[in-house]
Each structure stands twice: as structure tokens, then as C-alpha cells.
Amino acid sequence: ERLTKESEEKRLEEERIAIEEAKRIEEEKRLEEERLAREEEERKLEEERREAERIAEEKRLEAERVAREAEEKRVEEERLAREAEEKRLEEERLEAERLAKEAELKRIEEERLAKEAEEARLEKERVEAERIAEEKRLEEERLAKEEAERLAKEAEEKRLQEERIAREEEAKRIEEEKRLEEERLAREAAERKLEEERIAKEEEERRLEEERLE
């Protein structure tokens, strides 16, 4: 039994070792396959990268060619545009010179007509101004005459008014002097009366005193 047990343990150990070996071999195989797959993937990626670089380079070269052609076309269009612009500017310059010359002739004619019209207007204004000045002078003379008459009339009225006021004031002054004189005379009469009454009273007192002494 012991031998059988040892034999069984040995068999199990060998099976375990065999299983581990199989696992190791399987793992190594898997790792190798993964390595080969990675290498294949890297190779494919490298080929794709190179192909992409090649395509990008072709596109870049094509884009540069198209850009050069576009630049050449743009330069040519700019040249043609400059030539067209120069031609247009020259035509405009000639047209402007023609119009300027016509405008100058028109301006000179308009200035001549305006000068004649201005001279006619000034002559008309001068005649009108002379007429108005004459009318104004006559009107001023009339107004001055009326003003002088009015002032003379007012001066006369003022003189008469002052004389009337002077007469009234003189009459008032005489009346006031008369009133003051009457008041003065009344005061003097009243004072004399009081003095006479005082003297009469003193004489009466003196008489009474003499009678009392007798």
C-alpha cells in the first residue's frame, strides 16, 4: 500500500509537472504568437505610415503644383488687371481733362453773365437807394419839422404850466403867510389877555391884602 501510494503520488507529481510544462509551453507559444502578431502589426503600421507619407508627399507636391499654377494665374490676372486699370485711369484722366476744360469754359461764361447781372443789380440798387434816400430825406425833414413844432408846442405848454404853478405857489405862499400872521396875532392877543388877567389878579390880590391889613 505504501508503495502504491508513493507510486500514485509520483504519478500525480509527474502529471502536475507535465501539466505545468504544457502550460509553460502553451504560454510561450501564446507569447510568441503575440510577439509575432505585434511585429506583424508594427510591420503593417510601418507600411501604412510609409504609404501615408508617400500619399501625403504626392498630395503636397500636387498642392504645390496647383498653388504655383494658381499663383501664376493670379500674377497674370493682376498684370491684366493693372493694364486694364491703367487704361481705365488714362481714359478717366482724358475724360476728366475734357470735362474740366468744358467746366472752365462754362465757369468763365457763368462768371461773365453773373458779372453783368451783378452790375445790372448794383445799378438798379443804386437807383433804388437814391430814390429811397431822397424819400427818407424828405420824410426826415417832415418829421424834423413836426418834431420842432411839437417841441415848440410842448415848450410853450410847459412855460404856461410853470407860470400857472408859480402863480398857484405864490398864492399859496401869500395865503400861508397870511395864516401864519393871523396865528401870530392871535397868539399875541392871547398872551396880552393872559398878561392882563395876571396883572388884574395881582392887583386884586394886592387890594385884598391892603384891605386885610387895614
Side-chain angles (χ1 to χ4, degrees):
E1 289 179 1
R2 185 176 60 78
L3 291 172
T4 302
K5 186 177 179 180
E6 290 176 355
S7 177
E8 181 65 21
E9 289 175 354
K10 184 179 180 181
R11 185 182 65 77
L12 292 172
E13 180 65 20
E14 290 174 352
E15 287 181 356
R16 186 184 63 77
I17 292 169
I19 290 168
E20 288 180 355
E21 182 66 19
K23 286 182 178 178
R24 185 183 62 75
I25 293 168
E26 184 68 24
E27 181 65 17
E28 289 178 355
K29 183 179 178 182
R30 185 183 64 77
L31 293 173
E32 180 65 16
E33 289 176 351
E34 287 181 356
R35 185 183 65 76
L36 293 172
R38 280 197 304 275
E39 290 178 354
E40 180 66 18
E41 181 67 19
E42 289 173 357
R43 186 184 61 78
K44 287 181 179 179
L45 290 173
E46 181 65 19
E47 288 178 355
E48 290 177 357
R49 185 184 65 76
R50 289 178 180 175
E51 180 65 16
E53 288 179 353
R54 184 186 64 78
I55 292 169
E57 181 66 14
E58 289 178 355
K59 287 182 177 180
R60 185 184 66 78
L61 294 173
E62 179 65 16
E64 287 180 354
R65 184 187 65 78
V66 171
R68 280 195 304 276
E69 291 178 355
E71 180 65 15
E72 291 172 357
K73 184 178 180 182
R74 184 188 65 77
V75 171
E76 179 66 15
E77 289 176 349
E78 286 182 355
R79 184 185 66 78
L80 294 173
R82 281 197 303 273
E83 291 178 356
E85 180 66 12
E86 290 172 358
K87 183 178 179 182
R88 183 185 65 78
L89 291 173
E90 181 63 17
E91 291 174 351
E92 288 181 354
R93 184 184 66 78
L94 294 173
E95 180 66 13
E97 288 180 356
R98 184 185 65 80
L99 293 174
K101 189 178 291 184
E102 291 179 356
E104 180 65 15
L105 294 173
K106 184 179 179 181
R107 183 187 64 79
I108 292 170
E109 179 64 16
E110 288 175 349
E111 285 182 354
R112 185 185 64 79
L113 295 173
K115 185 177 180 182
E116 291 177 356
E118 180 67 12
E119 290 173 354
R121 183 185 65 80
L122 291 173
E123 180 62 19
K124 184 179 179 180
E125 287 180 355
R126 185 186 64 78
V127 172
E128 181 66 14
E130 289 178 354
R131 184 187 64 79
I132 292 171
E134 181 64 17
E135 291 178 353
K136 184 177 180 182
R137 184 185 64 79
L138 295 173
E139 180 66 14
E140 287 175 351
E141 287 179 357
R142 184 185 64 79
L143 293 173
K145 184 178 179 181
E146 290 179 356
E147 181 68 9
E149 292 175 354
R150 184 184 65 80
L151 292 173
K153 184 178 179 182
E154 288 180 356
E156 182 64 16
E157 291 175 353
K158 184 177 180 182
R159 186 183 63 78
L160 294 173
Q161 180 71 6
E162 288 174 352
E163 288 180 356
R164 183 183 62 79
I165 292 169
R167 286 195 302 274
E168 291 176 355
E169 288 178 351
E170 181 65 16
K172 286 180 181 179
R173 185 183 64 78
I174 293 169
E175 183 68 23
E176 181 67 13
E177 289 178 354
K178 183 179 178 182
R179 183 183 65 79
L180 293 173
E181 181 65 16
E182 289 176 352
E183 288 179 355
R184 184 182 65 79
L185 294 173
R187 282 197 301 273
E188 289 177 356
E191 289 173 356
R192 281 196 302 274
K193 184 179 180 182
L194 290 173
E195 182 66 16
E196 290 172 354
E197 289 177 353
R198 183 182 65 78
I199 292 169
K201 185 177 179 182
E202 288 178 353
E203 289 178 352
E204 180 66 20
E205 289 175 353
R206 192 165 48 252
R207 186 183 62 76
L208 291 172
E209 180 69 17
E210 289 174 354
E211 290 179 354
R212 186 181 63 81
L213 290 175
E214 287 177 356

